[in-house]
Amino acid sequence: MAGMRKLDVAVLGATGAVGQRFVELLENHPWFRVTEVVGSSRSAGRTYAEAASWVLDGGPPASVSGLTVKPLDGELSAPLVFSALPKEAAEEREVRLAKAGHVVCTNAAVNRMVEDVPLLLPEVNAEHVRMVETQRRVRGWTSGALVANANCTVMPVVMALAPLRRFGISKIHTVSAQAVSGAGYPGVASLDIIDNIIPYVSGDEGKMETEALKMLGRVRDDRFERLDAITSATCTRVPVVDGHLVSISVTLDERPELDEILAAWRAFRGPEPVPGLPSAPAQPVQYIAQVDRPQTRRDRMAGGGMATTVGRLRPCPILGYKFAALAHNTIRGAAGCSILNAELLAVQGYITGFQPRPGTPAQL
Amino acid sequence: MAGMRKLDVAVLGATGAVGQRFVELLENHPWFRVTEVVGSSRSAGRTYAEAASWVLDGGPPASVSGLTVKPLDGELSAPLVFSALPKEAAEEREVRLAKAGHVVCTNAAVNRMVEDVPLLLPEVNAEHVRMVETQRRVRGWTSGALVANANCTVMPVVMALAPLRRFGISKIHTVSAQAVSGAGYPGVASLDIIDNIIPYVSGDEGKMETEALKMLGRVRDDRFERLDAITSATCTRVPVVDGHLVSISVTLDERPELDEILAAWRAFRGPEPVPGLPSAPAQPVQYIAQVDRPQTRRDRMAGGGMATTVGRLRPCPILGYKFAALAHNTIRGAAGCSILNAELLAVQGYITGFQPRPGTPAQL
Amino acid sequence: MAGMRKLDVAVLGATGAVGQRFVELLENHPWFRVTEVVGSSRSAGRTYAEAASWVLDGGPPASVSGLTVKPLDGELSAPLVFSALPKEAAEEREVRLAKAGHVVCTNAAVNRMVEDVPLLLPEVNAEHVRMVETQRRVRGWTSGALVANANCTVMPVVMALAPLRRFGISKIHTVSAQAVSGAGYPGVASLDIIDNIIPYVSGDEGKMETEALKMLGRVRDDRFERLDAITSATCTRVPVVDGHLVSISVTLDERPELDEILAAWRAFRGPEPVPGLPSAPAQPVQYIAQVDRPQTRRDRMAGGGMATTVGRLRPCPILGYKFAALAHNTIRGAAGCSILNAELLAVQGYITGFQPRPGTPAQL
Amino acid sequence: MAGMRKLDVAVLGATGAVGQRFVELLENHPWFRVTEVVGSSRSAGRTYAEAASWVLDGGPPASVSGLTVKPLDGELSAPLVFSALPKEAAEEREVRLAKAGHVVCTNAAVNRMVEDVPLLLPEVNAEHVRMVETQRRVRGWTSGALVANANCTVMPVVMALAPLRRFGISKIHTVSAQAVSGAGYPGVASLDIIDNIIPYVSGDEGKMETEALKMLGRVRDDRFERLDAITSATCTRVPVVDGHLVSISVTLDERPELDEILAAWRAFRGPEPVPGLPSAPAQPVQYIAQVDRPQTRRDRMAGGGMATTVGRLRPCPILGYKFAALAHNTIRGAAGCSILNAELLAVQGYITGFQPRPGTPAQL
């Protein structure tokens, strides 16, 4: 692969909160480089630096600041497209781009539960990626593909439970404490959340059932077979910037010892070639033994924001086991996951003409 | 009762956060007036205004500011004593005062689960007050008594579930979002809680089992008979000043319709003479139909901080029903509850020489 | 005045953040009662309870909840109109209502600096109210009038400085820490302000010069004569819900002793008949001697949110004197001030057919 | 310098908030490595991981976690000592260590204004370091030295004003908005600061005069000659985790154009060899043109937390110029500055037997 150049990528919805996270995380990415940014009609035609009201730390990377924002309905050159579009814009646009030959990795919710769209969390269900073949065959796509990542609250639950599948998961009860960045920008009004907890996050509770069970399930006969478990989710909004913390109670039919659960988390790495991907955290699930952890602010950046931290494992008198799980909602729960998904697609050969090897920098 | 004077009361631990709430709530109380304030050796001998680093809004009431703080080990004149003492100080001191003839209403945790101490939440278990007779008989006390109020996180759970006892409560699963004032002053360091959620509150989870089941149970043959239910509690600390919000899942064996639960809450007033007590809220449990309520900041002062607000009642696929409940942790969950308890004791004749009628101002 | 009924009032922009504060403060007002609520086209035709996304504590008062929101361009019956309209809507609409005979008390910025519009803060410049006569004469209005209240950051500065006018104010340097509620609803995005300070509030710095000097000046020959002083304002946004705290340095040409300043604040009540108005605080400027006060959360509700608290008076090596001042930005700095202004207009006879006496409840 | 090993360093007060920042910043330092950690009697004898209640993100570095905390009164081996001691402990202990031959870089306030102690901010006053020679001569020290860094609120003011010295600084008026981490741990109680601003920070206002003028002055005839300017400081505490933002008004006698000031900031690098030191930011003073910057959360990590960001430069009608400046209070305002100071001492030959060249990694 000597001499291989970085792959051009486009970011849809690049000026929004998650779009900005894509741009930030792709700065200095070893395989990908942002060459196109796409925004709403309000942003199109302006430079990215002008159009994006940057909400992350510092300012936008110099390499992207000068790009002119393209309109949503134009053509794109980049073979790989990351989408941070809102629901309405995403639905039809993403399919159209995949049909036109682009590999689309989307953070949008709208296509997640479509029958042939993998809902990918590589350490958990890398094998779901082969549904792309079905997708291409059924839809008549050639080089295009559409792959989604999960809701940002579902994500830490699925990551923490994946290593426990062997114990037979039958009931999953969750109560989340979700950061304001999960609602995008401007999102939650400060008048609504300073010194306040809101016991409701529109739309998120239903996703725990649909998305979590699809992700924890398997692919059989070209179909997703959901995990057979009962879920019950409560979602709340809390005054923190980033990081979704979830209190989880779970029934494990095999009734493992607590030590067996800890060992399962400790050993968990995900299947090959996931651990070697550039954005994969060294340890996807990190148990913190301190009694008062994980804490949102102090642990959200574990593994560069790509790891899920868990803690407080103890018996639940009602459901069997309980613990806390935390993930960075706009990194691992959104843009970072989409990027890792794209890395997996690349090494598996799903991006035409671009197949780096894990552990290898693209640009030599 | 024409001409009846207000009853002198003493506040133990008066300079602390809950002690200040006692002082604030008793200002302008129709039956009681603070005549003695008791503090640690560091405070004793100074005026209350000097000794108390006032953490509530504004400043201490003028009527109390000039009182000299008394030491913990001295004698007291007031027939009625409110205790906001920390654990170590409370244990022996409260019993000694009750033995000396004082009616002691305590917010301290240490004596709550003692066999003959009522854990009183008047709307819920006013009949537990007759255990004071057992207490006096067994301990040889004459005019003295020791009555406790519940932990501030247990309190909204018990209040919200009390009207549902008729449906057969068998499982109670709670996840709390607790205000920093619950930890007293200085309590939680700001470095620990700004932009952060802590998934742990020392000591509180165990109290959900012990205290809730005692409070929801009944008195039979001079003994407390706990409610026969399974509890599982998770307690978290969140960056809000006041107000504990609890996400509750519950199994009700009679499987009522949601409307029946709403009706039960709506109708709930607690037994006579509780609704007529000065500090009793007009409606102890208030259901808010807006999908995103109750909210900590906006609803904690419902009923002057004495009401419990509930919302988001819906089916729980795992346990049957789920909803959110909120109470003001230092008013109804602490000082305000102790004061209401004392009002009940007074009208029931447990305070020698002082028996106002409900609905009647003491001072004419 | 036996038998006098309450005066009907309309609230323009009633569903917004300041509009809601008007509705809340007018609940139980002794002289006024809300009979008309006016909103945007999105709100018009719905009940107030439906149209207003209530951002204050609890919910909207029952007496107003059922009113149907009227459109902005319709006729109004109420003689007295409070306006919480945004700039664009306010400019022409308020003048049209005054022309039609309504007394309009507005919180909008747009008409504040108009030559014949009193910028009223009753304790400070009650005599400015007679400019209404000029207004009526020049504009040909009969019963109508247009009176404004100041910007919410200017207000505590003017209130704190008013008692010091006798010492000769020549330089005023201010740095504010402004609450998010000052930006309305939804206003400041939570992503922008949690764990953050923003060193800029659009438009507010210029108002310190124009509005403060107009308010502290006097009326001569039918014209406002501004105070002859230099101002320099810096405005910052901070993560608090309500309350604007301002660090003020001031040059007083007479070089009074600090005690003289304290005495001036202590004695300050405003001219008759202001102290007797229903919404007037007992002491408009309250000095708090504690070294770390006034504090935003703890002191913003002083005098029911109508008083200005000051503290930390000390020499400024550069300008002479410095201190901190705090006011509740949506009560005294907005709706509450408009209401007090209306009370002054009423007792002075500017509201045709309605002239209560100070200290007298309207409804007997 | 081939084969040069890293220099052993000790951290005093290593378990506190600033001590932890030292440990964090020294992890992977190219020249220094922590080999001794010193704590109070409560910590001594325990491992660092046990003794330090880690308040920063994640946990303590593995290389330090296993070190046994040494008592305050013992001997130390490390030639270089960083001190994060509280006042009382620092005063005598730091002098004793310097006398014993250690180079002591201290963050403690107590020795800052001592006549022969440099108050070092390398880009600003690197030449002050030669006062160490006076120190050694007068006190009879050989290899020892005592060098301090400034108060964390003074620091951004001095850094932002240093490039403007050429314009003749005569008046400095500051109002700060200080993060809670500036008060250490546990420091500010959350009950005191959530939804609140405190207009007072004990002890900090006086330091603006003494420390800033010493730092901005020069060394002449073995004495510090303070800058001849008048200062007036107001310090407030705000609910942010890290980062002190200061609103500065300044009189510059030369009356430069705003562009000249911008150019002075842009060009500012500090004297050689400072720009080549490992912890020196590429650009010490960074002007951000966006009207609402610098913002505490978004800009505090500029230059790895070592740069000072400035913004909002504009005329001050009273003092001439005004702008905002921000620095990370526990990095550049504390531990990071001490480390940079030590780097300067090292390259200047003040650490016996250890003189790396700027731009050179120590360990080859």
Side-chain angles (χ1 to χ4, degrees), chain B:
Chain B
M1 282 176 57
M4 196 189 76
R5 295 179 52 83
K6 289 192 185 181
L7 185 72
D8 290 352
V9 306
V11 178
L12 308 185
T15 61
V18 170
Q20 292 182 22
R21 199 57 100 168
F22 271 113
V23 168
E24 181 191 64
L25 294 173
L26 288 166
E27 176 73 0
N28 303 319
H29 191 279
W31 296 351
F32 308 139
R33 64 168 185 177
V34 176
T35 52
E36 292 168 293
V37 286
V38 178
S40 64
S41 56
R42 197 168 37 77
S43 299
R46 305 163 67 194
T47 67
Y48 185 73
E50 289 164 1
S53 174
W54 193 254
V55 299
L56 304 179
D57 290 356
S63 64
V64 176
S65 290
L67 295 180
T68 300
V69 178
K70 298 192 168 183
L72 266 173
D73 49 6
E75 304 275 298
L76 294 175
S77 305
L80 175 61
V81 175
F82 292 111
S83 168
L85 289 177
K87 186 180 171 168
E88 319 70 44
E91 187 158 16
E92 180 269 348
R93 174 77 179 159
E94 293 175 358
V95 169
R96 189 151 53 84
L97 283 165
K99 191 173 181 180
H102 301 272
V103 170
V104 179
C105 291
T106 179
N107 184 57
V110 69
N111 287 311
R112 282 181 196 149
M113 296 306 297
V114 171
E115 186 51 52
D116 62 354
V117 173
L119 197 42
L120 208 57
L121 194 60
E123 296 92 333
V124 174
N125 61 7
E127 78 275 15
H128 288 203
V129 80
R130 62 186 159 96
M131 186 62 88
V132 168
E133 290 157 36
T134 307
Q135 198 179 67
R136 287 175 171 171
R137 192 179 64 244
V138 170
R139 302 201 189 211
W141 296 349
T142 49
S143 60
L146 179 54
V147 168
N149 59 273
N151 169 273
C152 49
T153 306
V154 173
M155 182 259 126
V157 176
V158 168
M159 186 66 86
L161 290 179
L164 313 184
R165 279 177 290 194
R166 74 180 77 159
F167 302 123
I169 299 167
S170 57
K171 290 177 188 160
I172 308 168
H173 184 283
T174 61
V175 177
S176 71
Q178 299 178 220
V180 298
S181 63
Y185 184 82
V188 182
S190 53
L191 259 184
D192 284 336
I193 201 67
I194 293 178
D195 187 23
N196 201 22
I197 307 293
I198 301 175
Y200 175 71
V201 178
S202 177
D204 273 15
E205 296 180 356
K207 293 172 187 167
M208 191 60 73
E209 183 172 352
T210 52
E211 296 187 12
L213 301 184
K214 176 176 181 178
M215 294 172 84
L216 287 167
R218 49 188 179 168
V219 176
R220 187 181 294 194
D221 300 335
D222 287 355
R223 298 179 62 88
F224 291 109
E225 206 174 80
R226 299 193 190 180
L227 179 73
D228 182 22
I230 309 176
T231 63
S232 175
T234 291
C235 293
T236 79
R237 185 77 68 191
V238 297
V240 301
V241 175
D242 289 313
H244 289 357
L245 179 73
V246 191
S247 296
I248 303 173
S249 285
V250 64
T251 299
L252 300 173
D253 296 333
E254 301 293 324
R255 302 174 148 232
E257 298 296 317
L258 297 182
D259 277 352
E260 293 177 84
I261 293 175
L262 294 176
W265 279 332
R266 201 161 34 234
F268 184 68
R269 289 294 178 279
E272 288 302 329
V274 175
L277 298 176
S279 300
Q283 189 172 353
V285 180
Q286 302 181 0
Y287 189 81
I288 309 181
Q290 262 179 270
V291 68
D292 60 354
R293 301 290 276 264
Q295 292 178 12
T296 305
R297 189 183 78 235
R298 288 175 171 138
D299 297 309
R300 61 191 172 201
M301 286 307 293
M306 290 297 284
T308 297
T309 48
V310 290
R312 299 212 66 213
L313 178 66
R314 61 205 194 283
C316 173
I318 295 177
L319 291 181
Y321 306 87
K322 55 185 174 179
F323 60 93
L326 171 76
H328 194 298
N329 56 300
T330 68
I331 300 181
R332 189 57 202 257
C337 191
S338 256
I339 293 169
L340 186 65
N341 288 350
E343 292 167 3
L344 178 63
L345 287 163
V347 299
Q348 301 278 45
Y350 289 99
I351 302 178
T352 307
F354 183 82
Q355 190 170 10
R357 275 171 305 169
T360 313
Q363 195 154 30
L364 299 179

Side-chain angles (χ1 to χ4, degrees), chain A residues 17 54-55 180-181 184-195 238-242 297 300, chain C residues 17 54-55 180-181 184-195 238-242 297 300:
Chain A
W54 192 254
V55 298
V180 298
S181 63
Y185 184 83
V188 181
S190 53
L191 259 183
D192 284 337
I193 202 66
I194 293 177
D195 187 22
V238 297
V240 300
V241 175
D242 290 312
R297 190 184 78 233
R300 61 193 171 201
Chain C
W54 192 254
V55 299
V180 297
S181 63
Y185 185 83
V188 182
S190 53
L191 259 184
D192 284 337
I193 202 66
I194 293 177
D195 186 22
V238 296
V240 302
V241 175
D242 290 313
R297 190 184 77 233
R300 61 192 172 202

Side-chain angles (χ1 to χ4, degrees), chain D:
Chain D
M1 282 175 54
M4 198 187 76
R5 294 178 54 83
K6 289 191 184 181
L7 185 73
D8 289 352
V9 307
V11 178
L12 308 185
T15 60
V18 170
Q20 293 183 20
R21 200 55 100 170
F22 271 114
V23 168
E24 183 191 62
L25 294 173
L26 288 167
E27 177 72 0
N28 304 318
H29 192 279
W31 296 351
F32 307 140
R33 63 169 186 177
V34 177
T35 53
E36 292 169 291
V37 285
V38 178
S40 66
S41 56
R42 198 170 35 78
S43 297
R46 303 164 70 195
T47 66
Y48 185 73
E50 289 164 2
S53 176
W54 192 254
V55 298
L56 304 179
D57 291 356
S63 64
V64 177
S65 290
L67 295 180
T68 299
V69 178
K70 297 190 169 185
L72 266 173
D73 49 6
E75 303 275 298
L76 293 177
S77 305
L80 176 59
V81 174
F82 292 111
S83 170
L85 290 177
K87 186 178 172 169
E88 319 71 41
E91 187 158 17
E92 180 269 347
R93 174 74 180 159
E94 292 176 357
V95 169
R96 189 152 52 84
L97 282 165
K99 191 174 181 179
H102 301 270
V103 170
V104 179
C105 291
T106 180
N107 184 57
V110 69
N111 287 310
R112 283 182 197 149
M113 295 307 295
V114 172
E115 186 51 52
D116 61 355
V117 174
L119 199 41
L120 209 57
L121 195 59
E123 295 93 333
V124 173
N125 61 6
E127 77 277 14
H128 287 203
V129 79
R130 63 188 160 95
M131 187 62 90
V132 168
E133 289 157 36
T134 307
Q135 198 180 67
R136 286 176 173 173
R137 192 180 65 243
V138 171
R139 302 201 189 212
W141 295 349
T142 51
S143 60
L146 180 55
V147 168
N149 57 275
N151 169 273
C152 49
T153 305
V154 173
M155 183 257 125
V157 176
V158 168
M159 186 67 84
L161 290 180
L164 313 183
R165 278 177 290 193
R166 74 179 76 158
F167 302 122
I169 299 167
S170 58
K171 290 177 189 162
I172 308 168
H173 184 284
T174 61
V175 177
S176 71
Q178 301 179 217
V180 298
S181 63
Y185 183 84
V188 182
S190 52
L191 259 183
D192 284 336
I193 202 67
I194 293 178
D195 186 24
N196 201 22
I197 307 293
I198 303 175
Y200 175 70
V201 177
S202 177
D204 274 15
E205 295 179 358
K207 293 172 188 167
M208 190 63 73
E209 183 173 353
T210 52
E211 297 188 10
L213 300 183
K214 176 176 180 179
M215 295 172 84
L216 288 167
R218 51 188 176 167
V219 176
R220 186 183 294 196
D221 299 335
D222 287 356
R223 298 179 62 87
F224 291 109
E225 207 175 78
R226 298 193 192 180
L227 179 73
D228 182 23
I230 309 175
T231 62
S232 174
T234 292
C235 294
T236 79
R237 185 75 69 192
V238 296
V240 301
V241 175
D242 290 313
H244 288 358
L245 180 73
V246 190
S247 296
I248 302 173
S249 286
V250 64
T251 299
L252 300 173
D253 297 333
E254 302 293 324
R255 302 174 148 232
E257 298 296 316
L258 297 183
D259 277 351
E260 294 177 85
I261 293 175
L262 294 176
W265 279 332
R266 202 162 32 233
F268 184 68
R269 289 293 178 280
E272 289 301 330
V274 175
L277 298 176
S279 300
Q283 189 171 353
V285 179
Q286 303 180 1
Y287 189 81
I288 308 182
Q290 261 179 269
V291 69
D292 60 354
R293 302 291 276 263
Q295 291 179 11
T296 306
R297 190 184 76 233
R298 288 175 171 140
D299 296 308
R300 62 190 169 203
M301 286 306 293
M306 291 296 286
T308 296
T309 47
V310 291
R312 301 213 64 214
L313 178 67
R314 61 206 195 281
C316 172
I318 295 178
L319 291 180
Y321 305 89
K322 55 185 173 179
F323 60 92
L326 170 76
H328 193 298
N329 56 301
T330 68
I331 299 182
R332 189 57 201 259
C337 192
S338 256
I339 293 170
L340 185 64
N341 288 351
E343 292 167 2
L344 178 63
L345 287 163
V347 299
Q348 302 278 43
Y350 288 99
I351 303 180
T352 308
F354 184 83
Q355 190 171 8
R357 276 172 303 169
T360 314
Q363 195 155 30
L364 303 179

